[in-house]
C-alpha cells in the first residue's frame, strides 16, 4: 500500500460514511425505543436534555440495562480475573513449571492495570451499544507515564465512528470524526504545527470547535494511523496532517453481537424485538389516551346561545349555566372498552424480555436454588450465548488482552511475552468460559468413576498426576498452590526411604537377601496393617517388654 495522504484519508472517510448511512435510521429507531439517552445520528443533542418524552413503555430500556450488566458480569467481570496466560502446546515439558510462574505474574500485572483503569465503566457503555444496535467500538490508548494504570479506555459513540471489515473478516479499518476545542486539540497533538492565526482566533472565541478525522487502516502486519484537521486552519481550507504513525495492534477495537453475510455492521437482539417494542409502546400510548377519556370524559351540549363550551372548565364546584328546557352539558358514551390492551401488553412484554434474554440472564425469582438448578441455568446460559460469545472472544477479548500485553511489553513491565498460540496461549476465565471448561471436567470425572466397575486394569490407564493438574486448570486453581515436579520427586524419594511407621515399604539393609519362600509384598502389607492399628502396636510393644523381662 502506498503512503496515505490527508486527502486520501478524507476520501476514504467520506466513502465509509456513505456506506454507513443505510444503517443510521435503523440505529436511531433502536436508540429511541431501547436506549433513549444515547446521542442520536440526526441531531447533535444538548447534554442533559430529555430524550424519552415520546417513550411510553419502559420494558425495552430496562431489559437492555439488565442484559448489558449481565454481559459485563459474565464476560469481563470487574471483581475477578477473566483471562490468564498459559503455556502453549509447543512449550517444552521441562520448562512448564518456570513458564507457569512467569505467566501467572504477567497475568496478575495485566489484571492490576485493568482494575486501576476505567475499563469497567467504558466497557459497560460498549455493551449497551452492542445490545441495542449490534455493534460497538472501544478505544484502547496507553496512558501517560505516572498514572495509576497504563491503560485508558473510551467508549466511542457510533455517531462518530465508521468501521469496515478487512480481509480477515474483522473490523480492522476504523475512521473517527470528533469535534474538539483548540485547547484540547493542542493538548492532544502537541507536536503538530498549529497556525498562529488559528490560536489568535480561538483566543477570541473559546467555544469554537474543530473537526478531527482519525484513521486506523490495516496494512499487512501493522496498522497505519493518521489524524487530520478536516477543514484546515481557516475552517474551510485544505486538510492538515496532525499526526502520523503505526500500531502493531489497532487501538480501536470494534466488535459485533452477530452479523449477516455481506454486512460489515452487526445486528442486535433489540433489532429482533423492535416490532414488539414499537407495538407495546403504541398500546401503552393508546391505553393512556383511553384512561384520560375515561377520567375526563367527552361531553356534548346544545347550541342554545347560553352555554359557551369554550369557557367551561370541568373542575369541582363549577356552575355551568344552561337555557331553560335545554339538556345542558351531557356526557358522550364511549362505543367500547379498551380492557383488552392489558392482555395484549402482557404478552408483548413477555416476548420482549425473552428476546433480550432477561428471563435467562436476569435475576431469578427463586433465590434458594439447588446446586443442580444452578448448573442447569449456567448450562442453558452458555448454550444461548455460545455463538455470541465465540464472536466476542475473537473480536473483543483476544485483541484486548493482546494489545494490553503489547503496551506492558513496551513499558518493560512484563518479560517480552507475546500470545502466539504456540508457546504462550490465552486462557479465558470468565464465568461463561469456565462453565464450558467445568462441563469437560465433569465428563472426565464421570468417565473415571465408570472405570471403577471395570477393575484395577482399567483404573491403571489413568495418570493420576496429569489428571489432577488438568482438573486444577479446569477449575481455575492457582498454579502457586500446586507442587512442582521437583517437589513431587523429592516427596516420592522420602516415601521410599521412610520407616515402616510412615506407611511405606519395609526397608532392607544393603546386601541383605530375602529368604526363600518369603513374600515381601505380604510382609509390607502386614506391617502397614499393624501400624494402622494403635492397639496392635501396644500389644506388640507389651510382648517385647515381657520377652526382655
Amino acid at each position: 500500500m502506498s503512503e496515505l495522504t490527508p486527502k486520501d484519508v478524507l476520501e476514504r472517510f467520506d466513502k465509509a460514511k456513505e456506506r454507513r448511512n443505510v444503517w443510521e435510521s435503523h440505529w436511531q429507531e433502536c436508540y429511541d425505543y431501547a436506549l433513549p439517552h444515547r446521542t442520536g445520528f440526526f441531531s447533535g443533542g444538548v447534554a442533559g436534555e430529555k430524550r424519552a418524552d415520546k417513550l411510553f413503555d419502559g420494558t425495552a430500556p430496562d431489559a437492555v440495562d439488565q442484559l448489558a450488566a449481565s454481559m459485563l458480569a459474565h464476560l469481563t467481570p470487574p471483581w475477578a480475573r477473566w483471562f490468564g496466560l498459559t503455556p502453549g502446546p509447543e512449550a517444552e515439558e521441562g520448562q512448564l513449571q518456570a513458564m507457569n510462574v512467569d505467566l501467572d505474574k504477567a497475568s496478575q500485572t495485566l489484571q492490576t492495570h485493568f482494575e486501576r483503569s476505567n475499563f469497567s465503566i467504558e466497557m459497560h457503555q460498549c455493551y449497551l451499544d452492542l445490545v441495542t444496535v449490534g455493534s460497538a467500538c472501544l478505544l484502547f490508548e496507553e496512558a501517560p507515564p505516572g498514572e495509576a494504570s497504563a491503560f485508558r479506555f473510551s467508549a466511542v459513540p457510533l455517531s462518530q465512528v465508521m468501521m469496515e471489515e478487512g480481509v480477515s473478516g474483522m473490523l480492522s479499518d476504523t475512521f473517527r470524526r470528533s469535534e474538539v476545542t483548540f485547547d484540547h486539540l493542542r493538548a492532544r497533538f502537541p507536536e503538530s504545527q498549529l497556525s498562529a492565526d488559528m490560536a489568535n482566533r480561538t483566543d477570541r472565541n473559546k467555544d469554537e470547535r474543530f473537526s478531527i478525522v482519525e484513521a486506523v487502516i490495516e496494512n499487512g502486519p501493522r496498522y497505519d494511523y493518521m489524524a487530520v484537521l478536516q477543514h484546515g486552519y481557516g475552517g474551510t481550507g485544505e486538510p492538515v496532517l496532525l499526526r502520523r504513525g503505526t500500531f502493531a495492534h489497532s487501538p480501536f477495537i470494534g466488535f459485533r453481537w452477530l452479523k449477516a453475510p455481506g454486512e460489515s455492521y452487526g445486528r442486535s437482539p433489540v433489532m429482533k424485538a423492535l416490532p414488539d417494542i414499537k407495538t407495546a409502546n403504541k398500546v401503552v400510548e393508546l391505553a393512556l389516551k383511553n384512561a384520560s377519556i375515561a377520567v375526563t370524559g367527552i361531553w356534548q351540549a346544545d347550541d342554545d346561545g347560553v352555554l359557551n363550551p369554550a369557557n367551561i372548565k370541568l373542575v369541582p364546584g363549577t356552575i355551568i349555566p344552561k337555557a331553560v328546557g335545554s339538556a345542558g352539558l351531557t356526557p358522550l358514551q364511549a362505543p367500547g372498552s379498551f380492557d383488552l390492551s392489558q392482555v395484549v401488553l402482557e404478552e408483548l412484554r413477555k416476548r420482549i424480555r425473552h428476546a433480550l434474554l432477561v428471563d435467562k440472564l436476569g435475576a431469578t425469582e427463586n433465590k434458594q436454588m439447588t446446586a443442580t438448578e444452578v448448573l442447569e441455568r449456567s448450562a442453558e446460559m452458555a448454550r444461548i450465548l455460545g455463538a455470541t460469545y465465540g464472536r466476542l472472544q475473537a473480536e473483543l477479548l483476544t485483541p484486548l488482552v493482546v494489545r494490553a500485553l503489547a503496551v506492558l511489553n513496551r513499558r518493560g513491565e512484563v518479560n517480552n511475552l507475546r500470545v502466539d498460540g504456540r508457546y504462550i496461549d490465552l486462557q479465558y476465565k470468565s464465568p461463561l468460559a469456565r462453565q464450558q471448561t467445568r462441563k469437560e471436567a465433569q465428563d472426565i470425572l464421570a468417565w473415571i468413576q465408570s472405570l471403577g466397575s471395570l477393575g484395577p486394569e482399567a483404573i491403571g490407564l489413568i495418570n493420576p498426576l496429569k489428571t489432577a493438574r488438568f482438573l486444577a486448570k479446569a477449575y481455575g486453581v492457582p498454579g502457586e498452590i500446586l507442587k512442582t515436579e521437583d517437589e513431587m520427586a523429592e516427596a516420592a524419594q522420602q516415601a521410599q526411604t521412610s520407616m515402616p511407621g510412615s506407611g511405606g515399604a519395609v526397608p532392607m539393609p544393603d546386601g541383605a537377601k530375602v529368604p526363600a519362600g518369603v513374600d515381601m509384598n505380604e510382609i509390607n502389607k502386614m506391617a502397614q496393617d499393624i501400624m494402622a492399628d494403635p492397639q496392635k502396636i501396644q500389644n506388640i510393644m507389651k510382648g517385647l517388654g515381657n520377652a526382655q523381662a
Side-chain angles (χ1 to χ4, degrees):
M1 179 185 291
S2 59
E3 186 174 355
L4 289 173
T5 65
K7 187 176 180 180
D8 294 335
V9 167
L10 292 186
E11 288 178 354
R12 296 189 61 170
F13 164 77
D14 292 335
K15 291 180 180 179
K17 190 175 186 303
E18 183 179 352
R19 286 189 286 268
R20 196 198 66 176
N21 288 340
V22 181
W23 293 86
E24 291 181 358
S25 60
H26 196 183
W27 288 347
Q28 184 65 56
E29 198 171 32
C30 292
Y31 281 133
D32 289 342
Y33 286 99
L35 198 64
H37 62 266
R38 182 69 86 235
T39 303
F41 291 86
F42 304 108
S43 60
V46 179
E49 68 175 346
K50 294 188 298 182
R51 295 174 183 158
D53 52 345
K54 295 182 180 180
L55 188 65
F56 295 94
D57 184 69
T59 304
D62 179 66
V64 165
D65 287 340
Q66 292 193 43
L67 181 54
S70 297
M71 296 292 290
L72 182 67
H74 289 107
L75 287 180
T76 53
W79 55 84
R81 187 189 300 182
W82 48 269
F83 65 90
L85 301 176
T86 181
E90 297 186 15
E92 296 183 6
E93 191 74 22
Q95 299 179 353
L96 291 181
Q97 191 61 36
M99 288 183 64
N100 280 325
V101 174
D102 293 339
L103 294 179
D104 283 344
K105 291 181 180 178
S107 299
Q108 184 59 46
T109 302
L110 281 170
Q111 180 68 21
T112 301
H113 281 281
F114 274 113
E115 290 176 351
R116 291 179 179 176
S117 69
N118 60 337
F119 172 72
S120 298
I121 299 172
E122 299 300 320
M123 197 68 244
H124 180 254
Q125 297 299 319
C126 286
Y127 284 137
L128 289 172
D129 280 335
L130 181 71
V131 171
T132 305
V133 296
S135 302
C137 183
L138 180 69
L139 176 58
F140 185 174
E141 297 178 294
E142 182 178 354
E147 294 195 7
S149 173
F151 307 151
R152 178 184 293 173
F153 299 92
S154 299
V156 184
L158 285 183
S159 58
Q160 297 182 4
V161 68
M162 278 66 68
M163 298 178 289
E164 294 187 335
E165 280 189 350
V167 293
S168 62
M170 309 283 283
L171 294 174
S172 55
D173 297 348
T174 308
F175 301 89
R176 182 192 184 189
R177 181 184 182 275
S178 56
E179 295 185 353
V180 298
T181 62
F182 180 73
D183 292 338
H184 187 181
L185 179 65
R186 183 166 50 187
R188 187 168 184 183
F189 304 100
E191 73 279 8
S192 62
Q193 301 297 324
L194 299 176
S195 170
D197 176 67
M198 182 179 179
N200 293 332
R201 194 175 71 223
T202 54
D203 287 339
R204 296 189 297 269
N205 183 10
K206 295 293 185 181
D207 295 331
E208 185 176 3
R209 305 183 75 84
F210 300 89
S211 299
I212 301 174
V213 175
E214 297 176 88
V216 176
I217 301 173
E218 186 177 15
N219 185 11
R222 70 176 193 272
Y223 293 85
D224 293 336
Y225 171 80
M226 182 176 290
V228 177
L229 189 62
Q230 187 174 12
H231 301 299
Y233 296 137
T236 57
E238 290 294 321
V240 176
L241 177 65
L242 296 175
R243 179 181 294 169
R244 182 197 299 272
T246 59
F247 288 100
H249 308 282
S250 176
F252 290 99
I253 302 176
F255 50 100
R256 299 161 289 190
W257 180 272
L258 60 85
K259 66 178 289 291
E263 296 180 349
S264 295
Y265 294 98
R267 293 187 176 269
S268 67
V270 169
M271 292 180 179
K272 181 176 67 174
L274 191 58
D276 287 335
I277 295 173
K278 294 169 67 176
T279 304
N281 194 72
K282 193 64 177 178
V283 168
V284 174
E285 180 184 1
L286 295 177
L288 292 175
K289 289 181 178 179
N290 185 69
S292 177
I293 293 173
V295 172
T296 60
I298 300 177
W299 303 81
Q300 61 182 351
D302 295 333
D303 187 7
D304 54 8
V306 176
L307 181 64
N308 185 3
N311 295 330
I312 296 176
K313 294 183 179 180
L314 297 176
V315 295
T318 301
I319 299 176
I320 302 174
K322 74 181 190 68
V324 178
S326 66
L329 194 64
T330 58
L332 180 65
Q333 297 296 326
S337 174
F338 207 64
D339 296 335
L340 186 61
S341 63
Q342 295 301 321
V343 179
V344 175
L345 187 60
E346 185 62 30
E347 182 64 24
L348 289 172
R349 288 172 173 170
K350 183 178 179 181
R351 290 207 299 262
I352 293 170
R353 294 190 184 98
H354 180 74
L356 296 181
L357 306 178
V358 174
D359 55 344
K360 303 298 182 183
L361 303 181
T364 59
E365 296 181 359
N366 182 16
K367 303 298 183 181
Q368 303 295 331
M369 291 193 301
T370 63
T372 304
E373 291 174 340
V374 172
L375 292 176
E376 289 297 328
R377 179 177 170 85
S378 300
E380 186 176 12
M381 177 187 64
R383 177 181 60 82
I384 292 174
L385 289 180
T388 299
Y389 177 73
R391 177 174 292 278
L392 293 178
Q393 177 176 311
E395 296 185 356
L396 170 64
L397 301 182
T398 299
L400 190 63
V401 176
V402 169
R403 174 158 170 77
L405 199 59
V407 170
L408 295 186
N409 269 323
R410 186 164 54 252
R411 291 195 171 203
E413 296 192 32
V414 295
N415 187 18
N416 195 23
L417 300 178
R418 184 172 62 90
V419 177
D420 55 8
R422 298 171 56 194
Y423 298 99
I424 299 177
D425 203 357
L426 185 59
Q427 182 184 17
Y428 298 102
K429 297 184 177 182
S430 65
L432 193 58
R434 284 184 177 179
Q435 173 59 33
Q436 182 62 31
T437 308
R438 288 175 180 174
K439 179 64 169 59
E440 296 177 1
Q442 291 171 3
D443 292 341
I444 292 175
L445 290 174
W447 174 73
I448 292 175
Q449 185 176 6
S450 65
L451 288 182
S453 60
L454 301 180
E457 294 80 4
I459 293 294
L461 182 65
I462 303 171
N463 187 321
L465 293 181
K466 290 186 177 181
T467 303
R469 292 188 183 279
F470 176 83
L471 294 176
K473 182 179 179 181
Y475 285 100
V477 178
E480 57 265 21
I481 70 173
L482 302 178
K483 286 185 176 181
T484 64
E485 298 291 340
D486 295 338
E487 291 173 342
M488 294 292 296
E490 183 180 354
Q493 183 68 24
Q494 291 178 355
Q496 292 178 359
T497 60
S498 63
M499 296 299 293
S502 62
V506 177
M508 294 292 295
D510 294 339
K513 295 183 179 180
V514 180
V518 177
D519 188 352
M520 288 301 301
N521 292 331
E522 188 67 25
I523 293 177
N524 287 331
K525 183 177 179 181
M526 292 174 59
Q528 293 177 11
D529 292 341
I530 291 173
M531 299 307 299
D533 191 346
Q535 186 61 41
K536 290 182 179 180
I537 296 175
Q538 293 180 4
N539 293 337
I540 292 174
M541 297 301 295
K542 184 177 180 180
L544 291 174
N546 295 334
Q548 292 178 356

